[in-house]
């Protein structure tokens, strides 16, 4: 009788790297679209309209107050019962996009808030329109305070993409679990997977730390 | 010509401007003095439409500032504004600070806008600081930068809101000198100030504000040497 | 959409779900409390003169912050088997969340200590306080105020993250929900109810932290 468990092979490494590639795909799409959507929400909150600010805040707060895992399962089951089931990649990524957007909105809102009102008034006094001022003053000035926090959100999205495995999508973490059960070489696999996540995340977190240090000096 | 007719402005229940009438002719320098909270800044902001108004009318060269169809952005190019806080754009060099509005508002090419900027910066004595960032400039230099930035739009009028109040005492002089220079060049100016010597020496007329009312206005020698209003007498004696 | 919603099974399971919420709270509180303490130690390690301690502290913090928390849970739950260590779901989840919280709190403490003006410690020492007294009575109270906001966020985060316990077989709120789901196949209804419960728990945690924090911010309130 042959052993059902096999040892790690080169093909397993390829399998893991494929998973890593999918993790990167989910992350990039979620960060890009989530940032765009979050910018719209953050901008809406920064308008001088208390009702809009409150409404947007309250809705986005729900996404930040319910576990992402629950949101993934809920959305996945919802599209199924609503009769338009999506591939796991998309039902997972859509949830991640909205979740990321709810975090980016806060970052964008506080970034805009951090721009001194006098600066914006001065720009308008030179004859700039609302959008010219937004584009040439508020965006570049707000970006300097918002950028490190945005990096933090992007980092969180990369790590949270691991949860998409819970609805059956084989990204990096899920790939490692599949190998785990087959080969029983969990330590090697876990080390490898941890290393891959680390390699993806660490440059971003260093960048954030460096940037904050530079801001201070 | 800037004309204020029976201008009213309230913030909620607080009536800040209670029917102001004032005409400022081309080439004139008018100083506004008065206690803090009397409505001087609000008056300036009603002229450049940073604030809305509740009654009366403001016209600049015959254009009703607060009428619905008025192009505020176009109008503001005529009205250079300098605030107490200099509000330099922190992400841009001195040259870029001044060149930004000519480029994006007046649609000059980048090169032409920078030429204009260099000229104006030199005019206010910052010709050697073109590539400095605001963080590398003193408060007085940043305030001169703000003046150059306004001048680059070739305004017909300049509004100053306590342009020297936030400066360290030793830096006040250099900014006042630039304002004197502008006045001597014939710029039309409305200047909110606590610098009594500037009001006396430079203005054609001085207006005293009291709780939202223009209590006294006239030539500086009349208003400042021979004040009629008892509050103005007290104000002048305290501010020295 | 011809799906029929059935809420009755959810209502019947509600008492069990609420009981499981207590497990969620317990896991979160333990992980948070341990994380707060270990995080402080890690902060001091990273600020220490000794390279070994600095290296240890930094390694912990960087791993905690740069790998997914679900991965960390899996490591504690399955990854230690080769060393003959088999943790229960409960222990593994608490350990993983503690590991994560400690890493994040170490960073938060760093920000908090940096926010306190060095002049404060100098002033205390010139009054004759010992290093420990200055730390205890002057510096730490100010650090605590500086980190209170981030700490509150961390607490909310750990409550929500404890839901990952479900994927390591823990019967906390999510795990319990999954258990009922597997018996009734009312996925949407069960997880919708659970989402509401999490939302309420998160809001209660915020309220609790705000109340606990009140004495800390007496000076700020007196100003206004
Ligand atoms: N945006 C605002 N909202 C409410 N009250 C305001 C606002 N701006 C100014 N005020 C009030 O209007 C009054 C006049 O202010 P201001 O024009 O700034 O006076 P000054 O410039 O003479 O010191 C003050 O009592 C001030 O508190
Ligand atoms: Mg004022």
């Amino acid at each position: 009788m042959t052993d059902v468990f096999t040892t790690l092979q080169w093909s397993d490494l390829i399998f893991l790297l494929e998973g890593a590639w999918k993790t990167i795909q989910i992350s990039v799409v979620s960060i890009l679209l989530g940032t765009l959507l979050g910018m719209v929400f953050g901008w809406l909150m920064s308008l001088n309209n208390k009702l809009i600010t409150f409404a947007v805040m309250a809705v986005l707060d729900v996404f930040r107050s319910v576990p992402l895992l629950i949101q993934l399962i809920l959305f996945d089951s919802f599209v199924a019962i609503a009769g338009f089931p999506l591939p796991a990649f998309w039902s997972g990524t859509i949830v991640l996009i909205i979740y990321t957007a709810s975090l980016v909105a806060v970052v964008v809102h506080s970034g805009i808030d951090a721009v001194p009102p006098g600066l914006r008034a001065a720009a308008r006094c030179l004859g700039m329109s609302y959008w010219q001022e937004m584009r040439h003053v508020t965006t570049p000035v707000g970006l300097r305070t918002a950028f490190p926090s945005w990096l933090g959100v992007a980092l969180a999205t990369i790590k949270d993409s691991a949860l998409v495995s819970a609805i059956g999508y084989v990204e990096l973490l899920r790939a490692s679990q599949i190998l785990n059960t087959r080969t029983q070489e969990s330590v090697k696999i876990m080390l490898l997977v941890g290393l891959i996540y680390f390699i993806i995340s660490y440059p971003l977190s260093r960048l954030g730390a460096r940037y904050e240090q530079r801001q201070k000096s | 010509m800037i004309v204020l007719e029976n201008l009213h402005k309230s913030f909620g229940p607080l009536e800040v401007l209670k029917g102001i009438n004032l005409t400022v002719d081309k080439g004139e320098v008018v100083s506004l003095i008065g206690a803090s909270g009397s409505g001087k800044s609000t008056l300036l902001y009603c002229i450049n439409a940073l604030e809305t108004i509740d009654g009366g009318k403001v016209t600049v060269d015959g254009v009703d500032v607060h009428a619905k169809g008025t192009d505020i952005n176009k109008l503001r190019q005529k009205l250079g504004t300098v605030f107490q806080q200099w509000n330099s754009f922190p992400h841009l060099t001195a040259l870029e600070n001044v060149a930004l509005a000519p480029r994006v508002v007046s649609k000059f090419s980048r090169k032409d806008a920078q030429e204009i900027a260099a000229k104006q910066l030199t005019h206010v004595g910052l010709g050697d600081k073109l590539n400095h960032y605001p963080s590398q400039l003193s408060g007085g230099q940043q305030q001169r930068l703000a003046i150059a930035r306004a001048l680059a739009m070739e305004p017909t009028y300049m509004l100053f809101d306590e342009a020297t109040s936030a400066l360290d005492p030793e830096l006040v002089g250099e900014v006042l000198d630039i304002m004197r220079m502008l006045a001597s060049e014939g710029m039309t100016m409305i200047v909110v100030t606590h610098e009594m010597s500037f009001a006396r020496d430079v203005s054609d007329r001085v207006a005293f504000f009291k709780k939202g009312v223009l209590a006294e206005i006239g030539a500086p020698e009349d208003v400042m040497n021979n004040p009629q209003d008892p509050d103005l007498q007290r104000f002048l004696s305290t501010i020295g | 959409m011809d799906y029929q919603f059935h809420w009755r099974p959810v209502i019947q399971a509600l008492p069990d779900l609420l009981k499981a919420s207590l497990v969620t709270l317990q896991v979160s509180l333990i992980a948070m409390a341990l994380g707060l303490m270990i995080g402080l130690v890690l902060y001091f390690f990273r600020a220490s003169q000794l390279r070994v301690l600095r290296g240890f502290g930094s390694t912990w913090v960087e791993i905690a912050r740069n790998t997914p928390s679900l991965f960390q849970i899996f490591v504690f739950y399955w990854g230690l088997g080769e060393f003959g260590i088999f943790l229960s779901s409960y222990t593994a989840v608490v350990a993983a969340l503690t590991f994560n919280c400690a890493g994040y709190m170490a960073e938060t403490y760093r920000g908090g200590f940096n926010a306190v003006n060095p002049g404060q410690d100098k002033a205390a020492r010139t009054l004759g306080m010992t290093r420990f007294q200055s730390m205890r009575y002057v510096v730490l109270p100010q650090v605590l105020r500086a980190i209170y906001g981030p700490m509150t966020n961390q607490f909310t985060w750990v409550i929500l993250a404890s839901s990952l316990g479900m994927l390591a077989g823990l019967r906390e709120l999510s795990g319990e929900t999954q258990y009922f789901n597997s018996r009734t196949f009312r996925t949407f209804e069960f997880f919708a109810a659970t989402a509401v419960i999490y939302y309420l728990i998160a809001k209660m945690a915020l309220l609790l932290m705000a109340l606990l924090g009140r004495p800390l911010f007496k000076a700020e309130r007196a100003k206004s």
Side-chain angles (χ1 to χ4, degrees), chain B residues 35-42 45 84 161-162 192 194:
Chain B
S36 163
S38 55
K40 307 179 297 292
S41 299
T42 306
Y45 300 161
Q84 178 174 347
D161 189 7
E162 297 194 31
V192 173
H194 289 303

Side-chain angles (χ1 to χ4, degrees), chain A residues 12-20 22-23 162 165 169-183 189 193 197, chain C residues 74:
Chain A
D12 296 331
L13 184 65
I14 307 279
F15 183 62
L16 273 189
L17 288 179
E18 276 170 6
K22 286 175 183 157
T23 287
S165 63
Y169 188 68
V170 185
E171 39 61 75
L172 178 55
L173 190 61
R174 181 67 170 236
S176 75
Q177 279 189 293
I178 292 171
L179 288 188
N180 256 341
T181 37
R182 211 199 67 221
T183 66
I189 294 169
V193 169
Y197 273 116
Chain C
F74 285 172

Side-chain angles (χ1 to χ4, degrees), chain B residues 180 195-204 206 220 224:
Chain B
R180 282 205 181 87
E195 297 291 333
M196 289 305 132
S197 62
F198 179 89
R200 193 190 319 262
D201 302 343
V202 182
S203 359
D204 300 301
V206 174
M224 304 185 74

Side-chain angles (χ1 to χ4, degrees), chain C residues 70-84:
Chain C
L70 181 56
F71 167 77
Q72 293 161 10
I73 289 177
F74 285 172
V75 168
F76 279 94
Y77 190 53
W78 282 298
L80 306 177
E82 261 184 73
F83 305 111

